Amino acid sequence: MRGLKFIIAGLIFGVVMSKSEAISWFRIQEMFRFQSFHMYGIIGTAVILGVIITYIIKKYKLRDDQGNPIIFTPKEMSVPRYLIGGTIFGLGWALTGACPGPMFVNIGYQYWAILIAVVGAIAGTYLYGAIKDRLPH
Amino acid sequence: MLEFLSQPWPWYTSGIVIAFVMVLLLFFGKSFGVSANLRTICSACGAGRNVKFFDFDWRAQTWNLLFLVGAVTGGFIAAEFLSNGEAVQISQATIQDLSALGISAPDGIQPEEIFSLEAAFTLKGFLILLLGGFAIGFGARYAGGCTSGHAISGLSNLQLPSLIAVIGFFIGGLATTWILLPLIF
């Protein structure tokens, strides 16, 4: 089954997000109150390793498992889009204590109340799609 | 071994594994970004008939939906087989700040005041989760990514737009933490 490798990647992600407590509302509060290094350690370690690995992939022009070159699409430059969109995202992130990944991991953890947030997130995505041409980008 | 795994894992373990997951997806020819799934779900539900933004071949994104299935399963495995049921070990300062808001010290992973079904089905609790989720979905698509796409993948590729997005994440998060939460609780 070709899709199995993606399920396994997601599974590893789900287990580690749970076990490092990154899916916890409390941990996100602690982060936004600057009262612990925990979340900064998680994101910082991932980014530092990510920078090194991305550099290596580009430098040695590594290929994926299908033999195609691994490409990184640069993001289009804009300030309002990322700043306003990011700020709205952040408002919700601190409120529910879960960004999209942990939101779904919480379903598996059987915190069923998070399903309300998932419905909200799908509705929010839909509204963005419906009015995007009227927003500053 | 199981007892060892049942303890909370340190931050560096998590950081290393998240980077590993990102690299794994790169070598599968994909890029790590969870919130794109929300757009895919809209499209799969037929939103493309009314809104152009959702009119794309969502089946090409099936891999990411499978990643999501894995993430849910991972949460289930962690809860059922790798948990000792201990409360989250957050700092004393956070416990004190939150108790001033009326949120009791951790008894598990999530606060009872928001995540228990009794709380979730009060008007206040329901709106916190619904509007919080709504802002996440709207903001993530507006900014073109969430924590995984911007903070992890984007910063790893030294993208300035991702840095601006992450600054936005913090402006919003700090506003909720320091302004909204005291008003709500």
Side-chain angles (χ1 to χ4, degrees), chain B residues 28-45:
Chain B
F28 293 160
K30 311 293 180 195
S31 74
F32 182 37
V34 180
S35 69
N37 281 307
L38 297 166
R39 182 182 177 206
T40 307
I41 291 169
C42 285
S43 178
C45 293

Side-chain angles (χ1 to χ4, degrees), chain A residues 101-121:
Chain A
M103 220 181 237
F104 285 92
V105 179
N106 266 296
I107 299 176
Y109 221 96
Q110 296 144 68
Y111 280 106
W112 305 117
I114 201 78
L115 287 166
I116 300 169
V118 174
V119 169

Side-chain angles (χ1 to χ4, degrees), chain A residues 24 30 35 58 75 81 136, chain B residues 82 91 94 109 142 157 159:
Chain A
S24 165
E30 192 183 46
Q35 286 163 337
K58 285 180 175 175
K75 296 183 190 297
R81 169 172 194 184
Chain B
L82 300 174
S91 75
T94 311
I109 293 272
Y142 194 168
N157 192 24
Q159 294 282 299

Side-chain angles (χ1 to χ4, degrees), chain B residues 128-159:
Chain B
I128 287 174
L129 289 166
L130 190 72
L131 295 178
F134 191 88
I136 289 170
F138 187 91
R141 229 35 308 112
Y142 194 168
C146 60
T147 329
S148 49
H150 276 309
I152 308 289
S153 299
L155 290 186
S156 290
N157 192 24
L158 306 174
Q159 294 282 299

Side-chain angles (χ1 to χ4, degrees), chain B residues 79-123:
Chain B
E80 296 298 311
F81 307 112
L82 300 174
S83 168
N84 54 14
E86 247 181 63
V88 184
Q89 302 289 317
I90 53 167
S91 75
Q92 209 51 45
T94 311
I95 293 177
Q96 278 168 9
D97 281 7
L98 292 176
S99 85
L101 291 175
I103 293 169
S104 44
D107 188 29
I109 293 272
Q110 302 289 19
E112 286 288 305
E113 287 81 358
I114 299 176
F115 285 85
S116 68
L117 288 180
E118 298 86 67
F121 285 103
T122 61
L123 182 64

